[in-house]
Amino acid sequence: MKMPFMQAVRERVLVLDGAMGTMLQERGLKAGQSPEEMNLTAPEVVAGVHRAYLEAGADIIVTNTFGGTKAKLEHYGLGDQVARINAEAVRIAREVAGEDAYVAGSIGPTGRFVEPVGDMSFDEAHALFTEQAKALIDAGCDVISLETFLDIKEIRAALIAIRELSADIPVIAMLTFEEKGRSVLGSPPEAAAITLEAAGASMVGSNCGLGVDGIYDILCAMRKVTSLPLISQANAGLPILRDGVTVFPGTPDEMTAYHDRMIGLGVRVIGGCCGTTPAHISAIKEALSGRQAPFAPKADDGTTWVSSRGSFAAIGAKHPVALIGERINPTGKKLYSQELREGKVSYIRREALEQTELGATLLDVNVGTPGIDEPAAMERAVFCVTGAVQTPLVLDSSSPQALEAGLKSADGKVLINSVNGEEKSLAAILPLAKKYGAALVCLTLDDAGIPAEAEGRVAVAQKIAQRAGAAGIKRSDLVVDCLTLTVSAEPKGALVALEAVRHVSGLKLNTTLGVSNISFGLPCRPLISSTFFSMAMAAGLTSAIVNVKEAPMMSAWRSSMVLLGKDVNAACYIDAYRGQSVGATVQPAAGAGGAVPVAETVEPEGIRGRLAKAVINGELEAVVPLVEEALAEGLSPMQISSEALLVGLDEVGRRFGNGSFFLPQVMVSADTMKAAFARLKQELSSGGLKSLGKILMATVEGDIHDIGKNILVTLLENNGFEVIDLGKNVPAERILDAARSHQVDAVGLSALMTTTMAQMDKVVALLKAEGVKSFTMVGGAVVTQQYADEIGADLYAKDAMEAVARIKELLAK
């Protein structure tokens, strides 16, 4: 009888099987046919693929259910067959595997992005994954494999759904990364690993997208922030076209070249993705012979890791004291409170940008204003902040409902502010933190109030830590707030807080303080606050809630980091103060945030510069009033478009290209452009601005994935092109007819699946044979420049921003 899966992982490196789609295609899967339907119509074919991999030495057989969510199956008229298809897939795999291999239930992405980048809500994604995962678990799979996800938010929803069904079933969680080392939506491997571990993954890693060398680099980054076992599931190289057939050139020997390094890194499952065959799996199995070693997990050093979609941050251990920006809080801020009541987010976006630029490590988000729907306001605030910056979040609310709304809306692992020692708080907040994978600020007060002495506060901290541990929350995910009481009213307040910090630090727990509370009611508050801040850092404080706009606070932090040995070679200090005299106010360097000039030819404070900046920062609420102002100043719609809006969008493209902006920010800017253009069109009797060209877009026949195409359509429209979007799964003949009837300037083709790439060749050849003079452009996750050259396409683009730039360049010629 097989030992439990995770026990086997600890004892030896397991071999996972190879590509399913490639093998099914060789055995009769037709273009446009659902691979999962073959579980019902051709189970012997599916079983034959499993058997080939088992005979090659696979220890894990993956079910034919990658597209088994209702969202995917509906495209084939199979939306009501989710339970049957997934259960049958497990049955087929189980019969082949017997007691010789484990059965992994495969779950892939839905093909949609989660809000606010896409149109799918967290609850909708959660429901889709719950339905599929339940069918797989009920049918008896040994492990769930989440694979080829592009969106960290979507795979997080899948993990949360699975963990609600089962706390025990092992879950493998894998994101797909691009050559730049980030996912399509901008997640670095470290942020992905932090988020996935927090949400309940048993093992993390990467599959598809890259060859074994690229996957190794991704896993090296993940290992820095997680002690979980790792998985490598690489492609057999990048696809090429050979004699009209898509092939992967990676040889079995190439797939094993990194084995020693992988094992040393803590990789415990090695398999293959696109293009791998039983021959590759056999080579992997043979190469592992004699290379086995028990798994030695990385020791937990006590760091509290938090993450967003595009970034991550550390609290504690050897890391600098983390700065939690306090400004997104309505207390004492009439303007912000009014915006919250009106459902606006301009203040939130501005503060997110400015605090991040000034050095905030995390951003506290509080929307607690009387008379509002706080859960809805928290969702808006989280969407706004995550669309503006990459800084991880602290969700600050006394309402469990508002916290849950924020936790659903967040992209990564957040810090909840807060739980305390009261029974009511522990009962409400600990389950939320566990379910959504959040860290916790722990206030040292209980049903009796705030203890007057340090010993009492330490006792509350120990109580919370004990209860959190019983709820399954790691000790390193607790950040204890020893509470700062104003020294003008409590003369011993500062000394008690400092003593509590020392004691809690001795318990190997991370700490925080709301530093500015110490000086309330006193003159020259920053003087008292910054001095207390320095004393607290010397006492062991690992994070602080501060106003990063106050120069004395930032000066205290920078100098303390040097003196405490957390700013190596005083590099950050020197960078901030180089060339400045004592008492000078440090200004952020250009390029640190949203204050970079948009263009040398645009006056930043003029209406053109303000419009461009609105596009760059995604100021949706501000852009239409700015368009009105520009019109009132006498600018024509074409001037506003070409001299302001498109200048801003070009800057967005530049930042995307240099890696300082990511796809979610691009989409927010695109929405802002769309709102501005909608207003400008009202000024034109023709109903629109002059088109830069007419583009036909389609996802080729057999491919139901259209995320990338839809993003490109949005960006093309916002750059002034007229777009005819034929949708997905479009036959070559229909593309030909549309190109002729609309007399388009270019035809754009998208494919995500290796099994449908050959359709691009068919379309390009048909257009040329029929004498259509339109340029052709191809793109998609599996498409390369070499492939585009081989099929005779005029353009290839690796992402939507590059596609816009290249088609502009081509049509201009």
Side-chain angles (χ1 to χ4, degrees):
M1 187 172 182
K2 299 191 301 291
M3 67 179 68
F5 180 78
M6 291 308 296
Q7 181 182 340
V9 164
R10 288 189 288 272
E11 293 189 6
R12 62 192 175 96
V13 179
L14 302 181
V15 177
L16 183 137
D17 64 15
M20 173 62 74
T22 303
M23 297 287 284
L24 290 179
Q25 191 176 27
E26 291 177 358
R27 300 178 184 213
L29 176 67
K30 298 178 177 60
Q33 181 184 359
S34 165
E36 291 73 27
E37 188 179 15
M38 295 183 77
N39 296 327
L40 307 180
T41 61
E44 70 286 351
V45 174
V46 178
V49 175
H50 290 325
R51 195 170 295 109
Y53 283 123
L54 184 67
E55 292 171 354
D59 300 302
I60 306 168
I61 299 299
V62 182
T63 60
N64 179 34
T65 54
F66 176 75
T69 59
K70 185 176 182 179
K72 282 287 189 68
L73 293 176
E74 280 180 334
H75 292 292
Y76 304 102
L78 300 169
D80 60 347
Q81 299 290 308
V82 173
R84 184 183 173 206
I85 285 173
N86 283 275
E88 187 65 9
V90 174
R91 184 195 66 77
I92 296 167
R94 176 66 66 203
E95 284 190 0
V96 173
E99 288 300 314
D100 297 321
Y102 298 93
V103 173
S106 172
I107 297 179
T110 63
R112 297 164 63 190
F113 285 145
V114 182
E115 294 174 329
V117 177
D119 62 354
M120 182 168 59
S121 70
F122 174 92
D123 287 338
E124 186 179 356
H126 181 278
L128 288 168
F129 291 123
T130 296
E131 181 182 23
Q132 184 184 10
K134 185 177 188 305
L136 293 169
I137 294 170
D138 288 349
C141 66
D142 300 301
V143 57
I144 296 288
S145 177
L146 300 173
E147 50 184 327
T148 325
F149 278 79
L150 307 176
D151 181 0
I152 190 67
K153 201 164 192 175
E154 186 184 26
I155 192 172
R156 177 174 175 265
L159 272 165
I160 291 168
I162 293 166
R163 281 295 169 235
E164 282 192 282
L165 293 169
S166 171
D168 301 319
I169 190 165
V171 184
I172 298 168
M174 293 180 283
L175 231 63
T176 294
F177 294 87
E178 298 184 311
E179 289 182 5
K180 290 183 178 179
R182 288 181 179 258
S183 71
V184 169
L185 291 185
S187 297
E190 297 93 336
I194 292 165
T195 303
L196 297 175
E197 179 176 358
S202 312
M203 178 181 298
V204 296
S206 180
N207 78 300
C208 204
L210 299 170
V212 65
D213 52 344
I215 295 284
Y216 175 74
D217 292 339
I218 296 298
L219 299 183
C220 284
M222 287 185 167
R223 176 51 73 217
K224 296 174 183 177
V225 298
T226 182
S227 59
L228 291 180
L230 301 175
I231 176 171
S232 168
Q233 197 176 349
N235 285 346
L238 296 176
I240 60 174
L241 191 69
R242 184 177 295 162
D243 298 326
V245 178
T246 302
V247 298
F248 286 78
T251 67
D253 287 343
E254 289 170 348
M255 294 288 290
T256 65
Y258 279 70
H259 270 22
D260 289 330
R261 281 171 282 183
M262 290 284 192
I263 295 170
L265 196 60
V267 174
R268 306 305 290 175
V269 173
I270 299 177
C273 202
C274 297
T276 53
T277 65
H280 293 88
I281 301 307
S282 178
I284 290 172
K285 183 75 170 184
E286 183 178 354
L288 284 172
S289 177
R291 287 173 161 172
Q292 299 286 2
F295 177 57
K298 173 187 172 186
D300 187 348
D301 66 357
T303 300
T304 302
W305 292 105
V306 289
S307 61
S308 66
R309 182 190 298 278
S311 185
F312 60 99
I315 300 174
K318 63 183 180 298
H319 306 284
V321 172
L323 301 176
I324 302 172
E326 67 182 16
R327 297 273 307 162
I328 305 177
N329 188 314
T331 303
K333 301 179 181 68
K334 292 183 179 180
L335 173 62
Y336 179 29
S337 297
Q338 183 61 33
E339 284 196 0
L340 286 171
R341 284 188 284 270
E342 295 173 354
K344 296 180 179 179
V345 293
S346 295
Y347 175 89
I348 295 172
R349 177 175 288 104
R350 182 170 63 254
E351 283 295 337
L353 286 163
E354 291 179 359
Q355 290 185 99
T356 296
E357 187 174 353
L358 290 169
T361 317
L362 299 93
L363 293 175
D364 189 86
V365 178
N366 186 311
V367 296
T369 294
I372 67 166
D373 181 343
E374 190 173 347
M378 181 64 84
E379 179 185 83
R380 280 194 301 273
V382 171
F383 284 169
C384 173
V385 174
T386 55
V389 297
Q390 302 298 313
T391 315
L393 299 183
V394 180
L395 300 182
D396 186 354
S397 177
S398 59
S399 164
Q401 294 77 22
L403 287 173
E404 184 159 24
L407 289 164
K408 288 180 179 181
S409 306
D411 295 332
K413 179 184 177 183
V414 306
L415 181 59
I416 292 176
N417 188 7
S418 55
V419 68
N420 61 56
E422 296 175 351
E423 289 302 318
K424 179 180 178 181
S425 177
L426 292 168
I429 305 303
L430 293 182
L432 283 178
K434 176 60 178 174
K435 176 179 177 179
Y436 292 100
L440 283 167
V441 171
C442 307
L443 302 184
T444 50
L445 61 88
D446 57 16
D447 295 285
I450 301 174
E453 301 298 332
E455 292 79 4
R457 298 183 195 182
V458 174
V460 175
Q462 290 175 310
K463 173 186 175 181
I464 297 172
Q466 187 275 326
R467 294 286 290 274
I473 299 169
K474 293 194 306 181
R475 193 175 180 86
S476 59
D477 280 339
L478 305 179
V479 182
V480 177
D481 188 339
C482 296
L483 298 176
T484 308
L485 302 181
T486 176
V487 73
S488 60
E490 296 284 344
K492 293 172 51 181
L495 295 175
V496 170
L498 294 173
E499 185 180 354
V501 167
R502 291 189 190 95
H503 282 296
V504 171
S505 297
L507 298 173
K508 305 302 182 185
L509 287 166
N510 287 318
T511 54
T512 195
L513 287 170
V515 175
S516 61
N517 294 341
I518 198 74
S519 62
F520 187 79
L522 294 174
C524 298
R525 291 187 62 190
L527 179 60
I528 289 284
S529 297
S530 60
T531 302
F532 175 66
F533 188 20
S534 295
M535 295 170 69
M537 287 186 279
L541 190 71
T542 55
S543 68
I545 303 170
V546 298
N547 182 358
V548 294
K549 293 184 175 182
E550 289 185 353
M553 297 297 289
M554 297 302 291
S555 296
W557 176 72
R558 292 190 184 99
S559 55
S560 294
M561 291 303 93
V562 174
L563 298 173
L564 293 171
K566 294 190 175 185
D567 181 1
V568 180
N569 298 322
C572 295
Y573 182 90
I574 292 169
D575 185 56
Y577 294 105
R578 181 185 285 110
Q580 297 201 34
S581 59
V582 175
T585 299
V586 178
Q587 298 297 328
V596 179
V598 295
E600 293 180 2
T601 57
V602 175
E603 172 57 47
E605 298 306 316
I607 187 59
R608 292 173 176 82
R610 288 156 58 208
L611 272 166
K613 185 178 179 182
V615 171
I616 295 167
N617 291 339
E619 297 173 18
L620 187 59
E621 293 170 358
V623 74
V624 173
L626 287 172
V627 169
E628 300 281 6
E629 186 178 335
L631 291 169
E633 288 188 13
L635 273 67
S636 70
M638 282 303 299
Q639 284 179 303
I640 295 171
S641 173
S642 62
E643 298 174 13
L645 299 175
L646 289 176
V647 170
L649 200 58
D650 285 344
E651 175 65 14
V652 170
R654 187 189 70 79
R655 296 190 191 189
F656 181 81
N658 67 23
S660 59
F661 263 27
F662 304 102
L663 196 53
Q665 291 159 293
V666 172
M667 298 308 293
V668 171
S669 294
D671 287 341
T672 305
M673 282 285 290
K674 186 176 181 179
F677 276 150
R679 174 63 189 90
L680 290 179
K681 287 178 181 179
Q682 298 174 20
E683 300 296 312
L684 301 168
S685 58
S686 62
L689 298 167
K690 181 181 178 182
S691 173
L692 295 181
K694 193 180 294 185
I695 314 295
L696 178 70
M697 292 295 304
T699 300
V700 295
E701 185 175 14
D703 205 316
I704 60 171
H705 304 87
D706 62 353
I707 288 177
K709 173 189 64 69
N710 293 343
I711 292 169
L712 178 54
V713 167
T714 299
L715 294 179
L716 285 169
E717 289 175 339
N718 286 335
N719 274 272
F721 291 97
E722 180 183 350
V723 180
I724 298 93
D725 183 3
L726 299 184
K728 54 197 172 189
N729 194 18
V730 185
E733 292 74 15
R734 186 182 168 206
I735 295 172
L736 171 64
D737 292 342
R740 281 172 167 169
S741 61
H742 290 283
Q743 297 182 327
V744 297
D745 298 295
V747 175
L749 304 174
S750 175
L752 181 72
M753 298 160 52
T754 57
T755 54
T756 58
M757 285 174 63
Q759 291 295 316
M760 289 182 165
D761 185 23
K762 180 179 178 181
V763 174
V764 172
L766 181 61
L767 291 172
K768 289 183 177 179
E770 295 296 324
V772 175
K773 301 300 183 183
S774 305
F775 295 111
T776 51
M777 174 177 63
V778 296
V782 293
V783 183
T784 64
Q785 181 66 61
Q786 181 180 355
Y787 186 84
D789 294 339
E790 289 173 349
I791 67 175
D794 298 300
L795 281 180
Y796 160 75
K798 65 180 182 295
D799 55 56
M801 294 300 293
E802 181 178 290
V804 172
R806 297 203 67 184
I807 203 161
K808 278 184 177 180
E809 179 183 345
L810 185 62
L811 292 181
K813 293 179 180 178

